[in-house]
């Protein structure tokens, strides 16, 4: 293939865009971070979208990547390089425009990419050489966290609509032995709580001898807050002394 | 897509499950009791690192660093479903990361623990860890700083060489 790697990646992005039939308002820019494994991905996607012309894919190899363990390494042209061209990470806005199936597939693309980068990083540490393109790791990580947040938003919205529950995992406000009130998240147990000896040892109430300590803690908190406010006030007074308003000159 | 799609389809219909099937690390899986459905993990958060073996391994063995929470079954399913690698056997061990080294404040610095998985491939496949950092003779571009630096280094090396007219005899010998 005479095309440069950058041109290939751009071509892959365009292929991906065509396969995935996104709404016209969203543009997949060429700076998108599509891994080279997008070849196999776009080919797999092409088997689903019937409107795609098979002649478009004659430039790329149409067999799915069957070499499993080869996917743990960079394509051989990146071996020994110091820099590798890679696009920008996925933003949350772009990910929210994708369908569930696309996000699911993208998760695995990113997962495989991250595995490859971790392998390269460990090997570079072993050989005491610089890893080609270390910034890719952060990009993939950020893309994955954003993808997860997009999916969580959708799940939360669905749950709220169907059941009215805000949180997926039930919980309640409880007070621990030290007097702190916190959100206790429930766990699954095979036996009821009154038969669970370890759970019973964990007291969710405050004994009365702890109350003086709670009071002292509260006083300390109030004192520190007041001290901070006084310090701020003193600073402002000093500033007012140095730069009084009466002598302010307007341009 | 592959036939294992049934395992990895995204749960779009809501069920009254208390936990979300998202992250696999740091997640409390639902309790299993007899008759419960098979646990499915969608969008696993586990990452495997292929490492070069420190000691000589048989040709069909591949060495991975896996998260501590992964089990042998998890490793096998992960490789078979996501990478389509036929796995015959998996053996794991936990490597303790040392807590002995101390920093400039004499505090002990802990290196993280990790789990090592030795995966034996099925169907008589072999795997050899490739050399990812081959020697590449990169010629610096014309007129760049690197080219000038290289030229300077070459000149210096030439200056350091002994007088060729002496025929390899060192300066130590007087004449």
């Amino acid at each position: 293939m005479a095309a440069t790697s950058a041109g290939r990646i751009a071509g892959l992005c365009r292929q991906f865009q065509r396969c995935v039939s996104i709404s016209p308002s969203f543009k997949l820019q060429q700076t998108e971070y599509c891994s080279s494994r997008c070849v196999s991905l776009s080919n797999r996607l092409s088997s689903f979208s019937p409107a795609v012309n098979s002649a478009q894919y004659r430039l790329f190899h149409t067999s799915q990547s069957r070499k499993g363990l080869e996917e743990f390494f960079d394509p051989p042209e990146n071996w020994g390089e110091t820099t590798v061209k890679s696009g920008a990470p996925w933003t949350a806005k772009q990910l929210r425009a994708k369908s569930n199936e696309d996000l699911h597939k993208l998760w695995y693309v990113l997962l495989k990419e991250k595995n490859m980068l971790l392998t390269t990083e460990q090997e570079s540490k072993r050989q005491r050489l610089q890893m080609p393109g270390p910034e890719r790791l952060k990009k993939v990580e950020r893309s994955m966290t954003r993808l997860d947040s997009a999916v969580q938003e959708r799940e939360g919205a669905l749950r709220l609509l169907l059941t009215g529950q805000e949180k997926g995992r039930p919980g309640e406000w409880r007070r621990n032995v030290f007097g702190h009130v916190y959100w206790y998240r429930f766990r699954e147990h095979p036996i009821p709580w009154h038969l669970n000896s370890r759970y019973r040892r964990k007291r969710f109430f405050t004994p009365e001898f702890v109350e003086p300590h709670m009071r002292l803690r509260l006083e300390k908190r109030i004192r520190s807050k007041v001290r901070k406010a006084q310090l701020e006030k003193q600073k402002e007074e000093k500033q007012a002394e140095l730069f009084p308003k009466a002598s302010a000159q307007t341009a | 897509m592959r036939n294992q799609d049934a395992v990895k389809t995204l749960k779009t219909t809501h069920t009254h499950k208390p936990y979300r099937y998202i992250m696999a690390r740091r997640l409390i899986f639902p309790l299993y009791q007899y008759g419960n459905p098979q646990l499915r993990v969608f969008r696993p958060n586990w990452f495997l690192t292929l490492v070069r073996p420190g000691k000589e391994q048989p040709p069909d063995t591949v060495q991975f660093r896996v998260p501590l929470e992964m089990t042998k079954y998890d490793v096998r399913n992960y490789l078979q479903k996501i990478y389509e690698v036929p796995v015959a056997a998996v053996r794991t061990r936990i490597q303790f990361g040392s807590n002995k080294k101390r920093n400039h404040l004499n505090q002990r610095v802990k290196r993280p623990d990790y789990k090592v998985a030795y995966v034996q491939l099925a169907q008589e496949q072999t795997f050899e860890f490739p050399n990812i950092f081959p020697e590449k003779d990169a010629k610096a571009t014309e007129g760049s700083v690197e080219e000038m630096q290289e030229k300077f280094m070459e000149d210096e090396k030439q200056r350091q060489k002994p007088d060729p007219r002496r025929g390899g005899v060192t300066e130590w010998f007087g004449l």
Side-chain angles (χ1 to χ4, degrees):
Chain A
M1 281 189 272
T4 58
S5 61
R8 209 186 304 146
I9 290 170
L12 289 172
C13 296
R14 272 183 249 117
Q15 296 284 349
F16 189 68
Q17 186 181 3
R18 253 178 262 142
C19 297
V20 170
S21 64
I22 313 153
S23 60
S25 60
F26 169 65
K27 251 194 304 183
L28 202 101
Q29 289 135 33
Q30 289 180 4
T31 53
E32 216 61 78
Y33 185 49
C34 304
S35 70
S36 58
R37 276 135 210 88
C38 250
V39 177
S40 53
L41 179 69
S42 63
N43 284 314
R44 272 184 233 145
L45 288 169
S46 73
S47 64
F48 287 165
S49 54
V52 170
N53 192 3
S54 59
Q56 290 166 348
Y57 300 99
R58 231 171 268 151
L59 285 170
F60 306 91
H61 69 89
T62 48
S63 63
Q64 294 182 9
S65 56
R66 275 183 226 112
K67 308 285 176 189
L69 290 174
E70 272 182 19
E71 290 181 301
F72 276 100
F73 302 101
D74 254 331
E77 52 261 11
N78 286 343
W79 290 4
E81 303 280 337
T82 44
T83 52
V84 174
K85 257 191 182 171
S86 59
W90 287 87
T91 63
K93 199 173 168 190
Q94 290 162 351
L95 291 167
R96 276 183 210 122
K98 297 282 181 184
S99 69
N100 280 338
E101 283 79 21
D102 290 335
L103 287 182
H104 192 77
K105 289 172 189 175
L106 183 64
W107 179 268
Y108 286 97
V109 171
L110 291 170
L111 184 103
K112 285 193 189 181
E113 188 68 21
K114 183 147 184 214
N115 283 346
M116 182 271 283
L117 292 170
L118 287 172
T119 314
T120 323
E121 191 187 24
Q122 184 55 42
E123 182 60 18
S124 67
K125 282 184 191 170
R126 183 68 166 270
Q127 305 293 338
R128 291 195 234 174
L129 291 166
Q130 215 215 13
M131 168 189 170
E135 71 279 347
R136 297 182 283 176
L137 206 57
K138 262 196 250 176
K139 287 183 191 174
V140 168
E141 222 160 309
R142 280 177 195 161
S143 302
M144 286 183 106
T145 44
R146 285 166 194 169
L147 201 162
D148 185 61
S149 68
V151 171
Q152 274 186 33
E153 281 169 17
R154 285 187 195 178
E155 281 189 5
L158 203 64
R159 186 178 46 235
L160 206 59
L161 281 170
L162 290 177
T163 58
Q165 301 287 331
E166 286 160 5
K167 297 198 208 327
R169 187 169 165 189
E172 64 180 12
W173 290 104
R174 285 194 187 174
R175 186 184 280 275
N176 72 356
V177 208
F178 304 109
H180 294 122
V181 177
Y182 68 103
W183 180 257
Y184 171 77
R185 283 150 80 221
F186 293 143
R187 286 184 76 128
E188 272 189 299
H189 301 278
I191 46 171
W193 71 269
H194 51 89
L195 299 175
N196 197 343
S197 53
R198 209 219 280 183
Y199 177 87
R200 292 230 307 273
R201 270 181 271 139
K202 194 174 178 174
R203 292 154 286 170
F204 289 107
F205 58 89
T206 319
E208 53 188 40
F209 59 80
V210 178
E211 277 164 30
H213 298 272
M214 280 164 68
R215 196 191 166 77
L216 288 168
R217 223 171 35 215
L218 178 71
E219 285 175 8
K220 193 175 181 180
R221 215 183 308 142
I222 292 172
R223 262 193 226 116
S224 77
K225 216 162 77 173
V226 164
R227 238 181 283 141
K228 269 193 206 145
Q230 280 174 353
L231 187 68
E232 283 294 319
K233 204 169 158 194
Q234 279 170 9
K235 275 190 183 167
E236 274 184 42
E237 279 171 19
K238 262 199 174 168
Q239 287 291 313
E241 260 181 36
L242 288 170
F243 307 105
K245 273 188 186 171
S247 73
Q249 293 177 3
T250 51
Chain B
M1 223 172 170
R2 302 183 288 272
N3 283 334
Q4 289 93 339
D5 240 3
V7 178
K8 291 205 308 199
T9 49
L10 192 65
K11 273 175 111 64
T12 47
T13 56
H14 174 79
T15 51
H16 261 284
K17 292 274 193 258
Y19 307 119
R20 301 170 295 203
Y21 288 86
I22 34 155
M23 301 276 200
R25 287 206 73 183
R26 307 189 65 198
L27 177 80
I28 306 170
F29 290 127
L31 214 60
Y32 177 79
Q33 286 173 325
Y34 179 71
N36 283 10
Q38 168 69 50
L39 172 72
R40 313 244 178 245
V41 177
F42 306 110
R43 299 191 298 115
N45 200 21
W46 295 316
F47 304 108
L48 304 195
T49 314
L50 228 178
V51 294
R52 186 188 287 272
K55 292 187 178 171
E56 195 62 36
Q57 296 289 336
D60 62 344
T61 305
V62 191
Q63 197 169 331
F64 290 98
R65 278 193 195 178
V66 305
L68 279 172
E69 303 90 10
M70 273 185 102
T71 57
K72 294 179 185 179
Y73 300 105
D74 287 330
V75 173
R76 179 185 301 175
N77 286 338
Y78 191 100
L79 287 173
Q80 280 176 340
K81 299 264 158 74
I82 302 180
Y83 283 92
E84 287 170 356
V85 169
V87 170
V90 181
R91 295 184 296 276
T92 57
R93 67 175 177 92
I94 297 184
Q95 175 61 51
F96 172 74
S98 85
N99 201 10
K100 203 172 194 182
K101 289 255 172 84
R102 292 188 182 247
N103 61 6
H104 61 283
L105 301 166
N106 206 31
Q107 298 160 339
R108 273 180 295 176
V109 176
K110 164 82 181 158
R111 285 203 187 141
D113 302 330
Y114 54 90
K115 188 178 263 195
V116 182
Y118 301 92
V119 172
Q120 281 193 302
L121 303 169
Q123 294 160 23
E124 296 174 8
Q125 288 186 6
T126 56
F127 177 77
E128 208 214 301
F129 201 94
N131 180 20
I132 307 180
F133 298 100
E135 290 292 320
K136 272 194 184 171
D137 295 310
K139 204 68 193 144
T141 53
E142 300 295 308
S144 70
V145 183
E146 284 87 34
E147 210 219 337
M148 288 198 293
Q149 281 176 342
E150 265 178 54
K151 245 182 158 175
F152 180 74
M153 290 310 292
E154 273 173 41
D155 285 335
E156 281 291 317
K157 276 188 203 151
Q158 201 59 38
R159 236 175 279 169
Q160 294 295 327
K161 280 206 182 100
D163 197 352
R165 295 174 296 184
R166 290 180 60 82
V169 180
T170 50
E171 295 277 335
W172 187 89
F173 298 100
L175 249 60

